[in-house]
């Protein structure tokens, strides 16, 4: 019983605990990215992960099923773990011209919604804002949503799949050297 005499169901407590754990996972992930701890960030992904950011196109209502490109078509990112690792390795090497000097970023993740909990995996939707500033006056903001599959590994989670859906149809950035 709670202090006011209301019985709290154990199922509700279990769901609240999972929600808290997922939110903590995303908070830690954002901190790793903003602190430029990219190797630790890429370690959050499973070996069989798929990291996909399709291109968004403006379509009429009757063509909304074609708003985003599909896997195998043109995409901003269509990466597996070794490709993510190579991107991280390049950024950390100091030879990535787009990140020398490094960007300053702030990842804001919100509206964490567990869509389905299958026991060993969870489907989770989040919204994000990625603010980036670089050099003296370069400022960019990306806004979108992510659809992740989180896999329970040990006592925590790893990202088995990430779909990144940007709100923008035209990117004003000179590069896409940041991680979402």
């Amino acid at each position: 019983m709670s202090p006011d005499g209301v019985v709290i169901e154990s199922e509700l407590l279990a769901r609240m605990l999972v929600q808290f754990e997922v939110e903590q996972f995303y908070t830690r992930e954002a901190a790793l990215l903003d602190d430029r701890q990219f190797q630790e960030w890429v370690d959050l992904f499973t070996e069989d992960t798929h990291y996909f950011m399709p291109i968004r196109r403006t379509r009429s209502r009757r063509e909304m099923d074609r708003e985003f490109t599909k896997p195998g078509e043109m995409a901003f990112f269509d990466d597996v773990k070794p490709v993510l690792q190579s991107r991280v390795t390049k950024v950390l090497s100091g030879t990535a011209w787009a990140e020398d000097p490094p960007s300053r970023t702030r990842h804001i993740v919100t509206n964490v919604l567990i869509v389905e909990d299958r026991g060993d995996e969870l489907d989770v939707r989040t919204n994000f804002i990625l603010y980036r500033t670089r050099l003296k006056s370069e400022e960019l903001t990306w806004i979108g949503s992510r659809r992740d599959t989180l896999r329970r590994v040990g006592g925590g989670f790893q990202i088995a799949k990430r779909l990144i859906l940007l709100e923008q149809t035209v990117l004003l950035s000179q590069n896409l050297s940041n991680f979402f």
Side-chain angles (χ1 to χ4, degrees):
M1 280 197 175
S2 66
D4 62 358
V6 177
V7 176
I8 300 175
E9 296 181 28
S10 61
E11 184 180 313
L12 175 60
L13 285 174
R15 286 196 322 265
M16 290 169 60
L17 178 59
V18 172
Q19 180 74 30
F20 175 77
E21 291 171 337
V22 169
E23 289 176 6
Q24 288 296 296
F25 174 82
Y26 285 124
T27 300
R28 180 172 173 262
E29 179 195 13
L32 288 173
L33 288 168
D34 294 338
D35 293 342
R36 299 185 191 109
Q37 301 296 311
F38 301 125
Q39 185 57 56
E40 290 85 349
W41 173 76
V42 82
D43 290 342
L44 295 177
F45 289 82
T46 62
E47 293 303 315
D48 63 339
T49 198
H50 186 218
Y51 183 90
F52 185 64
M53 182 191 286
I55 296 171
R56 182 178 215 150
R57 301 168 294 203
T58 301
R59 297 289 187 196
S60 66
R61 284 191 191 275
R62 67 180 178 278
E63 297 179 313
M64 290 306 289
D65 60 323
R66 296 183 18 206
E67 182 178 17
F68 292 99
T69 58
K70 308 284 187 243
E73 297 178 349
M74 292 286 287
F76 293 117
F77 300 113
D78 192 356
D79 299 347
V80 293
K81 177 88 177 248
V83 175
L84 274 178
Q85 180 61 62
S86 68
R87 289 179 55 215
V88 164
T89 300
K90 183 173 182 176
V91 167
L92 294 175
S93 74
T95 61
W97 65 267
E99 284 302 315
D100 189 22
S103 296
R104 294 170 298 278
T105 64
R106 194 62 50 210
H107 289 75
I108 300 168
V109 180
T110 187
N111 295 42
V112 177
L113 177 64
I114 299 171
V115 177
E116 186 175 358
D117 185 344
R118 293 182 297 282
D120 61 335
E121 289 187 342
L122 291 87
D123 292 331
V124 182
R125 292 181 66 162
T126 58
N127 292 337
F128 71 86
I129 298 172
L130 170 51
Y131 171 80
R132 172 184 162 199
T133 182
R134 188 169 173 273
L135 302 172
K136 292 181 180 178
S137 61
E138 188 177 317
E139 273 187 71
L140 293 161
T141 303
W142 291 277
I143 299 171
S145 64
R146 299 185 308 196
R147 296 178 185 171
D148 291 345
T149 298
L150 299 183
R151 187 173 296 153
R152 285 188 169 94
V153 178
F157 297 107
Q158 282 191 298
I159 303 164
K161 182 179 177 183
R162 172 159 287 169
L163 172 63
I164 305 149
L165 303 173
L166 291 178
E167 292 304 313
Q168 294 97 323
T169 55
V170 175
L171 300 187
L172 302 177
S173 174
Q174 296 176 13
N175 60 59
L176 268 176
S177 60
N178 298 101
F179 301 105
F180 292 83

